[in-house]
Amino acid sequence: MASAVPAQVQSNPAPAPQLQRGIVKTVLSGCAVIVRGQPRGGPPPERQINLSNIRAGALARRAIQGQPDTKDTPDEPWAFQAREFLRKKVIGKEVCFTVENKTPQGREYGIVFLGKDTSGENIAESLVAEGLATVRREGIRGNNPDQVRLCDLEDQAKAAKKGQWSEGGGSHTIRDLKYTIENPRNFVDSLHQKPVNAIIEHVRDGSMLRALLLPDYYLVTVMLSGIKCPTFKREADGSETPEPFAAEAKFFTESRLLQRDVQIILESCPNQIILGTILHPNGNITELLLKEGFARCVDWSMAVYTQGAEKLRAAERSAKERKVRIWKDYVAPTANLDQKDRQFVAKVMQVVNADAIVVKLNSGEHKTIHLSSIRPPRLEGEEKNKDKDKRFRPLYDIPYMFEAREFLRKKLIGKKVNVTVDYIRAATSAMETGGVPAFPERTCATVTIGGINIAEALVSKGLATVIRYRQDDDQRSSHYDELLAAEARAIKNGKGLHSKKEVPIHRVADISGHTFFFTFVTSKYNWNNVMHYMSTMFVCAGIECPRGSRNMPGGMQVAEPYSEEATIFTKELVLQREVEVEVESMDKAGNFIGWLHIESVNLSVALVENALSKVHFTAERSSYYKTLLSAEETARQRKEKLWANYEEKPKEEVAQFTEEKERVAKYRAVYVTEITDGLHFYAQDVETGTKLESLMESMRGEIAAQPPVEGSFAPRRGDFCIAKFADGEWYRARVEKVESPAKVHVFYIDYGNREILSSTRLAALPPAFSTRTLPPQATEYTFAFIQVPQDEDARADAVDSVVRDIQNKQCLLNMEYSGAVCPHVTLQFADSKDDVGLGLVKEGLVMVDVRKEKHLHKMVTEYLNGQESAKSARLNIWRYGDFRDDDADEFGYRR
Ligand SMILES: *[C@@H]1O[C@H](CO)[C@@H](O)[C@H](O)[C@H]1NC(C)=O
Ligand SMILES: *[C@@H]1O[C@H](CO)[C@@H](O)[C@H](O)[C@H]1NC(C)=O
Ligand SMILES: CC(=O)N[C@H]1CO[C@H](CO)[C@@H](O)[C@@H]1O
Ligand SMILES: CC(=O)N[C@H]1CO[C@H](CO)[C@@H](O)[C@@H]1O
């Protein structure tokens, strides 16, 4: 023993046996223990001590496999109770002991005391006193007071009928041990991952243990879910060779769990192997083994780990970083990258494919990034050959390829993303791959936006699959388990590639052959579940762009200055974006000429503003002429690029275009009468409110005096009329649609609400109360600076909130800017003067519509600040981060 201490000096004339110390590793039975020393640079030595002078029952033994002459023997009565009594008392505890006798075979008998010295509890005496062990009287010497005391204790236990001395023979103390389970899978399923009480009876290696499940005494072998420790390889001759750190890992688990009371969650049972997790109040052995570098994560079994797979990866990562034990020679896949090249924020310039993007780095350099560990949709087996003859366009002809790219494009284009490089895949040559196409070096990274891993989002929508790796292959996503989990979810929910539905088909009508400026999708319509796209050339109207170099009959024409910049500018702004075009005409080559708008930026104007184009005289007729001129003037003033050599003209000439408007805040009182599902609202001017009241009063008087003849009114679309509302009163209305005499759609012109009713509830509008007397009092407005949510539920939430806040209430209204359908206005609560729209933004119920007009800048900024606070509080539409989608969130969870 490593921790031996000198013998205690005693008055006894016989030479006192040496007192030794150790920690109890195992309780073999009610009368034998294994004691170990302190570990010093490896598992410590151990020795078995049988307790002197007593005997406890033998525990059950299983027949030795492969030896038919042996058979299972059951517990002797009280044997398990004795073991348990002793186990609970001493397991893992420090004890001291004297060896009194050593047999020629090396068996040692001794007296064991709890604690550091002989003043501790003598465990043999305790067992005898409880009637759990008998005294071997044949060896007792009357002059030995210790032995005499044992006999006394036994006599007392007998008299008190304790344990073995109780009546009935103790057959109830014999366990019905089950060494095998008929159908382990059913057994595991039947437990529903509920923790089961258990005792760990044996540790085979760091991650494989044998447990006694209570209260039914099933003995099961459990592999820890999610990990694997180095093991002991059994050789042909029956000997075992430990893998590096196998013994250390085993000791780590043994010293913490052997013969300890634990709870086990049995998580899964693939191929008769039971996977489980052990819960112990001192910690989670699975995590601890990983953290200490005694185990590695195992992909297939991590999937069943119920206590948070990400914690396991983190624990493993920490061990790798510290290069402890099994990771002592570990080299991270990105070890030779600088921190700044390993993690950075960049702007997405282009979506190349369903698994790759081009980003613009801080340095201005463009870089292609592949999404780690995912594989874009691809053709499998037969499908591959089917399309051989046709003109094959991967983007449209591989099922879900288009959807995948569109998903990335919509989420990422023009946005800033976080890039964490996970690994660099080395280039392969065609020779190495044996015919499989070679590819250049790839930077593979986890790309997140607003905290959402875009690869995970793709996988969860069934728009990509997860690459499987060899167990020790580190070249993979740093969020690999989330990807696997997302894939499992997508498969379960039949998303995208995993769907049983017919794949969507895309047809592209290429209506032009020449490239002049750029190609983009101009329109998209859904017809019989086939999406049709038109791809065409488009020329920006109203401007003259510097010409790029091109091949002319007379030779190469040199590019004009700034043509390259103009191209890059345009690419950055519009490439792969959704744009709106206003086509004005077509040129001789069949290209459309017109105006291109992207998120309220007008490309022609933007090019001019940035001194990359000049205004063309043909713009004169267009409604953007003034804007163009004013933009050109500002650019000229800055003497940049195209205007670098410009000579300034007298100021007055251009002054008229550079006037700057101020935002006008002239709030007037209105009464909000109706809010539409589209988040528009109708309001009456409070100023004219009394006029409406008196009109209604006299109109109703007249109707009462001369009630209309029911059914005499034949409604036609566009007619003004009166309609009898649910409250039984008549109101002014207009017919919007006549489905049938029983179904007439009317609009209440003074209140803004709509109703479908029978023509029997309609009558002609008496001329005295026509709209010439008093114009319709309900005016339609919509909120300035906000975007009405596309998502129906989100919109309904916003509408509900507005209805609660302002319907049938007086508010203050200010015109901000005009719109296609109705004016855009801000509303203030009459009392607090708080802005209603801003309130919606702050609640995360709507997004800000970023108006670019200078004079609105201050308002927009205020709104954007409100939006930021809603985002950071993850309110409503921001609850899943800075992302929205029609029906499900990025991970496929339905809202
Ligand atoms: C020592 O204890 C073990 C475990 O209970 C038992 O199997 C063995 O027979 C004992 N040895 C002797 C010599 O009594
Ligand atoms: C990038 O990550 C950092 C830290 O995780 C975060 O603060 C930042 O908002 C992220 N940026 C983007 C664009 O997602
Ligand atoms: C489920 C469980 O018990 N988890 C624990 C695993 O161990 C770590 C510490 O080692 C605890 O923090 C966890 O709560
Ligand atoms: C209709 C439209 O979107 N017009 C825009 C043209 O571009 C200018 C400047 O970029 C915008 O202010 C206009 O709103």
Side-chain angles (χ1 to χ4, degrees):
M1 276 295 312
S3 59
V5 294
Q8 276 197 339
V9 184
Q10 288 183 354
S11 56
N12 201 320
Q18 220 181 22
L19 186 68
Q20 310 188 55
R21 291 197 185 122
I23 289 166
V24 178
K25 175 191 158 181
T26 324
V27 174
L28 294 173
S29 73
C31 57
V33 293
I34 293 177
V35 177
R36 66 167 170 85
Q38 288 293 347
R40 295 244 161 83
E46 44 190 58
R47 66 208 260 202
Q48 179 177 333
I49 308 293
N50 282 30
L51 298 179
S52 299
N53 300 319
I54 67 161
R55 187 186 175 281
L59 291 167
R61 282 186 96 90
R62 196 172 179 198
I64 301 166
Q65 275 159 333
Q67 292 190 19
D69 52 330
T70 60
K71 58 179 199 248
D72 296 350
T73 47
D75 288 331
E76 283 178 18
W78 297 98
F80 183 62
Q81 280 64 25
R83 202 282 306 246
E84 287 296 273
F85 178 81
L86 199 48
R87 182 178 70 83
K88 293 208 159 104
K89 210 177 260 307
V90 301
I91 192 73
K93 299 260 173 65
E94 185 171 23
V95 292
C96 59
F97 57 96
T98 57
V99 175
E100 300 202 304
N101 185 8
K102 194 163 179 175
T103 66
Q105 294 80 25
R107 184 77 76 205
E108 293 181 302
Y109 287 91
I111 304 178
V112 179
F113 301 90
L114 257 180
K116 283 190 186 336
D117 55 50
T118 52
S119 66
E121 182 177 338
N122 175 328
I123 61 175
E125 288 180 3
S126 304
L127 281 156
V128 169
E130 291 300 319
L132 294 171
T134 53
V135 179
R136 296 177 191 262
R137 300 223 179 201
E138 63 275 14
I140 296 295
R141 278 184 300 253
N143 65 350
N144 183 323
D146 292 341
Q147 295 176 0
V148 171
R149 191 156 65 247
L150 276 180
C151 293
D152 288 348
L153 287 168
E154 185 174 48
D155 292 341
Q156 287 165 26
K158 273 184 191 165
K161 292 192 183 353
K162 282 193 163 173
Q164 295 192 24
W165 313 113
S166 62
E167 276 150 27
S171 63
H172 67 285
T173 64
I174 300 169
R175 290 172 295 170
D176 174 18
L177 265 177
K178 290 126 190 147
Y179 295 105
T180 52
I181 294 171
E182 188 83 356
N183 186 335
R185 190 178 195 137
N186 282 355
F187 178 74
V188 168
D189 288 349
S190 73
L191 297 172
H192 300 290
Q193 307 194 333
K194 284 212 213 41
V196 182
N197 291 329
I199 302 165
I200 302 300
E201 294 288 358
H202 177 68
V203 175
R204 157 92 189 122
D205 63 44
S207 56
M208 195 193 276
L209 320 98
R210 199 142 166 86
L212 179 67
L213 303 187
L214 302 175
D216 294 326
Y217 304 121
Y218 284 99
L219 264 169
V220 295
T221 300
V222 177
M223 272 175 68
L224 294 178
S225 303
I227 63 163
K228 188 163 181 3
C229 290
T231 60
F232 300 83
K233 283 224 168 75
R234 211 181 289 272
E235 306 294 343
D237 64 1
S239 68
E240 287 187 336
T241 313
E243 291 173 349
F245 298 101
E248 290 84 345
K250 178 178 172 180
F251 176 69
F252 187 85
T253 301
E254 226 171 41
S255 57
R256 285 162 179 77
L257 293 185
L258 185 61
Q259 289 201 335
R260 302 305 207 285
D261 290 305
V262 297
Q263 291 199 306
I264 303 189
I265 303 177
L266 298 184
E267 283 155 323
S268 176
C269 183
N271 305 321
Q272 310 282 52
I273 300 167
I274 297 180
L275 292 174
T277 297
I278 295 177
L279 308 179
H280 187 276
N282 290 354
N284 175 335
I285 196 76
T286 310
E287 270 180 51
L288 289 173
L289 284 164
L290 284 170
K291 204 159 135 210
E292 294 302 324
F294 283 124
R296 61 184 73 235
C297 290
V298 177
D299 297 338
W300 64 268
S301 95
M302 279 187 83
V304 306
Y305 184 70
T306 50
Q307 308 295 307
E310 68 286 352
K311 289 197 209 141
L312 300 191
R313 289 283 183 207
E316 187 191 59
R317 205 157 39 239
S318 140
K320 284 176 173 173
E321 277 163 13
R322 291 176 290 126
K323 295 184 195 276
V324 289
R325 306 206 168 88
I326 61 172
W327 305 113
K328 63 185 181 353
D329 301 321
Y330 177 76
V331 180
T334 53
N336 51 0
L337 290 183
D338 284 351
Q339 177 57 31
K340 71 168 179 25
D341 296 330
R342 217 178 295 163
Q343 186 164 25
F344 49 87
V345 172
K347 185 172 168 187
V348 177
M349 305 311 297
Q350 197 186 341
V351 172
V352 186
N353 204 337
D355 66 342
I357 57 177
V358 175
V359 299
K360 185 172 164 183
L361 306 177
N362 263 346
S363 62
E365 194 192 331
H366 286 201
K367 184 175 179 68
T368 302
I369 301 285
H370 287 261
L371 300 180
S372 301
S373 298
I374 66 161
R375 181 174 283 136
R378 57 177 179 179
L379 290 182
E380 308 279 351
E382 264 180 44
E383 287 174 328
K384 229 184 247 168
N385 304 325
K386 207 171 65 188
D387 282 295
K388 256 194 179 139
D389 307 331
K390 279 200 299 180
R391 190 169 71 104
F392 186 65
R393 302 148 311 158
L395 181 60
Y396 302 105
D397 293 337
I398 296 178
Y400 294 103
M401 182 70 111
F402 183 79
E403 282 75 7
R405 202 200 62 164
E406 274 298 279
F407 178 79
L408 288 186
R409 188 184 64 76
K410 284 202 171 127
K411 299 300 182 201
L412 300 183
I413 198 80
K415 305 262 176 62
K416 287 227 165 123
V417 293
N418 267 341
V419 179
T420 309
V421 176
D422 295 322
Y423 55 100
I424 310 276
R425 210 158 107 183
T428 55
S429 69
M431 232 151 59
E432 280 176 90
T433 58
V436 175
F439 51 79
E441 183 182 275
R442 290 176 163 192
T443 299
C444 300
T446 295
V447 174
T448 62
I449 176 162
I452 286 186
N453 177 351
I454 199 74
E456 189 183 352
L458 263 179
V459 170
S460 70
K461 297 220 166 246
L463 298 176
T465 53
V466 180
I467 296 173
R468 297 301 195 277
Y469 298 98
R470 277 199 333 269
Q471 187 54 50
D472 55 355
D473 190 349
D474 235 9
Q475 306 254 330
R476 55 167 91 186
S477 164
S478 45
H479 295 263
Y480 189 66
D481 301 298
E482 283 112 292
L483 295 181
L484 287 180
E487 184 172 63
R489 243 176 1 248
I491 292 172
K492 185 160 159 243
N493 299 331
K495 296 274 188 178
L497 290 163
H498 314 293
S499 142
K500 302 276 179 293
K501 282 189 274 190
E502 257 183 57
V503 300
I505 298 168
H506 305 280
R507 301 241 157 89
V508 177
D510 218 343
I511 59 170
S512 167
H514 316 263
T515 38
F516 175 68
F517 210 177
F518 45 83
T519 319
F520 61 99
V521 173
T522 53
S523 73
K524 154 170 124 170
Y525 52 99
N526 191 332
W527 182 57
N528 286 349
N529 199 30
V530 177
M531 300 296 280
H532 295 251
Y533 300 88
M534 259 173 19
S535 130
T536 182
M537 300 310 129
F538 185 84
V539 181
C540 271
I543 57 169
E544 264 179 292
C545 238
R547 235 194 301 277
S549 62
R550 47 180 172 163
N551 256 323
M552 298 294 278
M556 191 72 159
Q557 193 178 44
V558 181
E560 289 176 8
Y562 302 106
S563 72
E564 179 76 355
E565 281 89 335
T567 309
I568 291 173
F569 179 86
T570 304
K571 260 193 173 173
E572 291 202 358
L573 196 62
V574 304
L575 189 63
Q576 294 189 332
R577 310 298 177 86
E578 270 166 36
V579 298
E580 267 173 42
V581 293
E582 255 177 281
V583 176
E584 285 207 329
S585 58
M586 206 182 258
D587 70 6
K588 289 190 271 316
N591 300 316
F592 289 131
I593 302 176
W595 307 93
L596 185 147
H597 305 282
I598 170 158
E599 289 166 3
S600 81
V601 174
N602 179 327
L603 179 59
S604 298
V605 178
L607 279 164
V608 171
E609 245 168 16
N610 286 277
L612 291 168
S613 282
K614 297 183 178 176
V615 177
H616 193 252
F617 69 91
T618 51
E620 210 172 19
R621 287 162 307 171
S622 94
S623 49
Y624 303 113
Y625 188 52
K626 266 195 174 174
T627 323
L628 283 169
L629 284 183
S630 126
E632 191 175 55
E633 180 51 32
T634 350
R636 225 183 334 230
Q637 296 288 322
R638 292 198 310 269
K639 297 200 177 191
E640 268 179 14
K641 298 172 192 158
L642 288 178
W643 304 109
N645 303 316
Y646 172 71
E647 291 295 321
E648 211 168 331
K649 284 190 210 155
K651 263 218 161 79
E652 300 82 71
E653 277 186 45
V654 290
Q656 67 187 90
F657 302 120
T658 51
E659 279 175 352
E660 198 120 276
K661 277 198 293 174
E662 288 279 336
R663 172 175 176 258
V664 182
K666 260 171 70 182
Y667 283 91
R668 65 174 200 273
V670 296
Y671 186 77
V672 180
T673 53
E674 177 69 14
I675 289 135
T676 74
D677 294 342
L679 209 56
H680 286 204
F681 62 90
Y682 289 86
Q684 302 168 343
D685 267 8
V686 166
E687 214 171 47
T688 54
T690 48
K691 283 192 196 155
L692 178 64
E693 266 171 41
S694 62
L695 174 125
M696 297 281 275
E697 202 173 309
S698 44
M699 184 177 85
R700 285 175 185 161
E702 188 173 317
I703 295 167
Q706 271 183 305
V709 179
E710 196 174 289
S712 65
F713 180 71
R716 275 179 326 182
R717 192 167 157 250
D719 282 351
F720 286 103
C721 62
I722 52 174
K724 200 179 199 175
F725 189 61
D727 63 2
E729 295 284 4
W730 292 93
Y731 294 87
R732 302 199 300 175
R734 196 179 62 233
V735 177
E736 291 197 316
K737 186 175 168 188
V738 183
E739 254 179 85
S740 69
K743 279 190 172 173
V744 183
H745 299 233
V746 302
F747 171 69
Y748 291 95
I749 61 173
D750 298 316
Y751 291 86
N753 51 323
R754 293 182 158 82
E755 201 183 10
I756 302 172
L757 34 67
S758 158
S759 60
T760 57
R761 300 182 62 160
L762 302 177
L765 176 65
F769 309 107
S770 80
T771 53
R772 243 168 301 171
T773 314
L774 183 70
Q777 289 298 289
T779 310
E780 184 176 0
Y781 301 101
T782 190
F783 289 97
F785 313 119
I786 72 165
Q787 294 184 37
V788 177
Q790 297 287 307
D791 172 66
E792 246 173 68
D793 291 343
R795 197 166 61 227
D797 288 347
V799 170
D800 284 351
S801 164
V802 172
V803 168
R804 256 195 324 273
D805 288 348
I806 60 167
Q807 186 153 37
N808 300 328
K809 292 213 174 85
Q810 191 166 317
C811 292
L812 298 169
L813 177 146
N814 188 50
M815 261 293 292
E816 301 293 343
Y817 49 90
S818 55
V821 180
C822 61
H824 291 241
V825 301
T826 46
L827 270 189
Q828 290 180 346
F829 292 106
D831 43 6
S832 66
K833 305 279 189 295
D834 283 342
D835 189 292
V836 177
L838 181 58
L840 293 175
V841 170
K842 283 180 175 167
E843 278 297 304
L845 290 164
V846 296
M847 277 192 296
V848 176
D849 182 13
V850 183
R851 300 291 299 189
K852 297 275 190 249
E853 292 94 324
K854 266 236 168 81
H855 68 284
L856 299 176
H857 182 75
K858 215 178 126 203
M859 280 301 271
V860 169
T861 307
E862 200 179 333
Y863 270 61
L864 282 175
N865 290 341
Q867 176 160 294
E868 280 314 307
S869 74
K871 269 190 204 174
S872 53
R874 298 226 166 187
L875 295 177
N876 294 302
I877 56 175
W878 309 111
R879 77 192 99 162
Y880 303 106
D882 187 354
F883 249 2
R884 297 150 305 282
D885 203 359
D886 298 342
D887 56 329
D889 77 295
E890 299 322 309
F891 299 121
Y893 295 121
R894 287 194 70 88
R895 304 222 152 145

